[in-house]
Amino acid sequence: MSKKDIIICRCEDVTLEEIHQLLERGYTNIEELKRLLRVGMGPCQGTTCMQLIQREVSKFLNIPIEEVKTQKVRPLTMGVKLNAIKEGACDES
Amino acid sequence: MKASYVIIGAGISGCSIAYNLAKKGVKDIIVVEKHYLTAGATGRCGAGVRQQWGTEMNCRLAKASIDFFSIAKDELGYQGDIEFKQEGYLIVAVNEEEDKQFAKNVILQNSLGIPSRKITKEEAKEIVPHLNTDVILSATFCPTDGHLNPFTMTDAYYQAAKRLGVTFLFREEVKSIVVKNDKIEKVITTNHEIHTSNVINAAGGYAKEIGDMVNVAIPVYAERHEILVTEPVEKIQGPMVMSFGMNIYCQQVPHGSFLMGRSNPFEKPSHNIESSWQFLDEMAKTVCTLLPPIGNLRVIRQWAGSYNMSPDRQPIIGTTDLPGFYVACGFSGHGFMFAPMTGLLLSEIILGEPLTIDITDLHIDRFKTARDIVIEKSVV
């Protein structure tokens, strides 16, 4: 299967080919890949793609996967509507 | 290692300074960055670029910067997409004082060639149909303000600078700067000793700490500002909507997500960039009041970054009392949108060239003298 047909980040439609292109250009930090490709920035927040990307970085740099730092985990853990947040705040006051 | 100039910080300011110096023929420039490209304020900003300011200096810097952004892709020879979009900033007035001040701002902006205009709330609703006009009095609109992708824009400067021979050292922290007899001798990082006589402080939130290393007191501090992003949806909003009185900025980026932020008036100076639930709470209330349908969107992520605050909310750019030590800091939340001018003007100062815009008033010495400083009030 061609690398451009393999989707790594399903939220943002990022292919294995795009990841490999950036690795070859020297962007080997997951935070950099995230900012330039939007991997891990979609609704799943990297829970689907991050391990796959770690594996690609590990293979590319020839280092153990546990040495490849993942992205900073940020809130929220799942999508919540702004209205729900607002209404929750009113109930509390 | 040896360098003609060491630039501290690989945010957009540092990258723009490096590019502009290299383009003018300076060799052996080294940029030192503690983390990775755009790790600090640049990569955390709201991605807006505007010209609607309340001080003449900020208007001039912003206009010239937007003129550059419109040709940046070709000028820097960038393969990627900087996502420059000019669909305006709609700044709403929510009280009489703002209404009057904005009328004055528009006169100033127009006199400098910025095509902003004062509009009624009905006209504002034509531009942003989901705007709640019950909570506003009037607005100003400038159609050539807009949006730009902070990551790719910085990458464009970075790649252009690298092609011109600039060296970038990532994941290296500056630990000290050795000065002898009022002369810089070297910069010591976690991995290298770099011999140099010139250091440029573009360290954003950490600009004060870098100044302290050479006993140059810079009157700036870091302040946390929070921001969030929603799920992407079809395009419904062209311009950035902003209110100083309600304390909100909110735009839909080309990707489809809505980005929004507000300040916390009680925030204390610190390097804290953690997210808070209080921000989420206040942000939700504010956006649901001003732009009600946005309440139906899901928040998927929130984060924070540091503004580098100066006493007058205007940048500090230029030389200092220590020969060879230059500063580009104190942007107070607007370093991204001024970066083209920061790089150009500081390179002109360093090389002793005539200035494209007279920025004598942005020199650090303005805080030493007793005369009144002009404070920029158009800040969220």
Side-chain angles (χ1 to χ4, degrees):
Chain A
M1 199 174 180
S2 157
K3 277 193 211 174
K4 60 173 188 262
D5 293 327
I6 300 174
I7 305 288
I8 295 288
C9 169
R10 293 190 294 192
C11 298
E12 298 287 341
D13 271 350
V14 181
T15 64
L16 184 60
E17 185 183 43
E18 291 172 283
I19 306 251
H20 282 179
Q21 279 169 353
L22 276 202
L23 288 173
E24 269 148 31
R25 277 168 46 203
Y27 299 96
T28 55
N29 181 307
I30 283 185
E31 294 285 5
E32 289 169 339
L33 296 172
K34 173 183 161 187
R35 280 158 180 75
L36 289 168
L37 291 175
R38 300 195 56 85
V39 286
M41 281 188 173
C44 93
Q45 289 288 286
T47 46
T48 317
C49 64
M50 233 8 109
Q51 287 179 324
L52 302 174
I53 296 167
Q54 262 184 306
R55 191 185 64 200
E56 292 308 313
V57 173
S58 149
K59 279 197 295 195
F60 183 82
L61 295 177
N62 201 18
I63 56 173
I65 194 164
E66 59 271 23
E67 287 176 20
V68 180
K69 269 184 84 173
T70 54
Q71 92 279 29
K72 157 102 178 154
V73 176
R74 291 182 163 143
L76 292 41
T77 48
M78 62 181 293
V80 180
K81 284 188 178 179
L82 283 155
N83 273 335
I85 298 167
K86 182 200 76 174
E87 282 153 21
C90 289
D91 287 345
E92 290 294 313
S93 62
Chain B
M1 287 183 104
K2 273 189 182 159
S4 58
Y5 292 87
V6 171
I7 299 171
I8 304 174
I12 195 161
S13 297
C15 292
S16 171
I17 295 163
Y19 165 77
N20 277 281
L21 280 173
K23 193 183 159 202
K24 291 178 189 294
V26 177
K27 306 277 179 234
D28 302 318
I29 301 167
I30 297 181
V31 181
V32 184
E33 164 57 49
K34 183 160 70 165
H35 299 299
Y36 46 87
L37 193 68
T38 77
T42 300
R44 298 163 185 277
C45 80
V49 288
R50 71 166 149 130
Q51 303 157 93
Q52 298 183 75
W53 293 93
T55 67
E56 181 173 339
M57 181 66 78
N58 278 348
C59 286
R60 286 187 191 278
L61 293 174
K63 181 173 189 301
S65 293
I66 288 209
D67 290 345
F68 179 83
F69 287 137
S70 67
I71 55 161
K73 186 175 158 68
D74 291 339
E75 196 71 15
L76 300 174
Y78 190 54
Q79 302 294 316
D81 186 0
I82 59 170
E83 297 173 25
F84 185 47
K85 156 187 119 161
Q86 283 177 294
E87 293 188 42
Y89 260 53
L90 182 77
I91 304 184
V92 299
V94 295
N95 56 46
E96 294 286 347
E97 191 194 339
E98 281 191 340
D99 184 60
K100 281 192 195 126
Q101 183 61 47
F102 288 2
K104 284 185 205 157
N105 289 357
V106 165
I107 292 168
L108 169 72
Q109 291 153 7
N110 291 169
S111 77
L112 300 168
I114 296 166
S116 56
R117 57 181 197 265
K118 185 98 171 4
I119 58 175
T120 63
K121 56 183 181 179
E122 290 75 23
E123 289 169 312
K125 199 159 175 74
E126 279 171 30
I127 298 169
V128 176
H130 52 281
L131 187 68
N132 174 9
T133 47
D134 294 344
V135 295
I136 71 168
L137 291 184
S138 65
T140 63
F141 183 66
C142 176
T144 54
D145 291 350
H147 162 275
L148 198 63
N149 182 319
F151 310 125
T152 51
M153 185 63 231
T154 311
D155 191 43
Y157 269 122
Y158 162 65
Q159 291 199 21
K162 269 207 308 193
R163 280 197 303 275
L164 291 167
V166 176
T167 301
F168 284 79
L169 302 175
F170 291 108
R171 288 168 279 284
E172 257 190 70
E173 186 177 350
V174 171
K175 302 304 277 185
S176 64
I177 301 170
V178 180
V179 178
K180 277 207 184 114
N181 302 323
D182 241 16
K183 200 173 171 306
I184 297 172
E185 289 199 333
K186 58 186 169 183
V187 174
I188 299 172
T189 74
T190 39
N191 301 344
H192 290 98
E193 282 198 7
I194 309 169
H195 293 269
T196 188
S197 336
N198 299 292
V199 170
I200 299 162
N201 178 0
Y206 286 87
K208 184 184 181 304
E209 285 78 355
I210 297 294
D212 290 346
M213 288 180 185
V214 292
N215 288 320
V216 170
I218 309 172
V220 292
Y221 59 88
E223 182 180 279
R224 175 178 64 167
H225 282 252
E226 297 187 69
I227 182 166
L228 65 78
V229 65
T230 69
E231 59 193 326
V233 285
E234 271 182 42
K235 185 176 171 184
I236 61 162
Q237 183 177 317
M240 171 82 91
V241 175
M242 193 167 202
S243 164
F244 308 119
M246 288 182 71
N247 190 356
I248 177 176
Y249 65 85
C250 173
Q251 72 165 329
Q252 185 174 25
V253 298
H255 167 260
S257 324
F258 276 78
L259 267 183
M260 62 193 81
R262 71 196 304 284
S263 320
N264 172 6
F266 307 107
E267 190 72 36
K268 299 266 191 302
S270 83
H271 290 298
N272 175 17
I273 48 167
E274 289 301 308
S275 297
S276 74
W277 62 264
Q278 291 91 340
F279 162 75
L280 197 56
D281 206 14
E282 293 298 326
M283 191 74 246
K285 284 190 232 168
T286 313
V287 75
C288 293
T289 306
L290 186 61
L291 301 161
I294 309 299
N296 293 315
L297 300 182
R298 285 176 182 81
V299 180
I300 57 172
R301 182 171 61 255
Q302 59 176 124
W303 67 97
S306 288
Y307 279 19
N308 188 237
M309 304 296 285
S310 74
D312 58 4
R313 309 295 180 251
Q314 298 200 76
I316 306 172
I317 301 173
T319 58
T320 63
D321 287 343
L322 175 64
F325 187 72
Y326 303 91
V327 288
C329 63
F331 290 95
S332 308
H334 311 102
F336 175 60
M337 57 179 97
F338 292 164
M341 284 306 105
T342 303
L344 178 70
L345 295 166
L346 191 58
S347 69
E348 290 171 349
I349 290 170
I350 290 171
L351 300 175
E353 295 176 356
L355 295 182
T356 303
I357 297 173
D358 181 3
I359 53 164
T360 317
D361 288 347
L362 296 183
H363 195 275
I364 190 168
D365 283 353
R366 71 183 183 271
F367 304 112
K368 284 183 187 169
T369 54
R371 74 192 165 87
D372 290 338
I373 52 173
V374 186
I375 295 178
E376 174 60 72
K377 294 193 185 106
S378 303
V379 175
V380 171

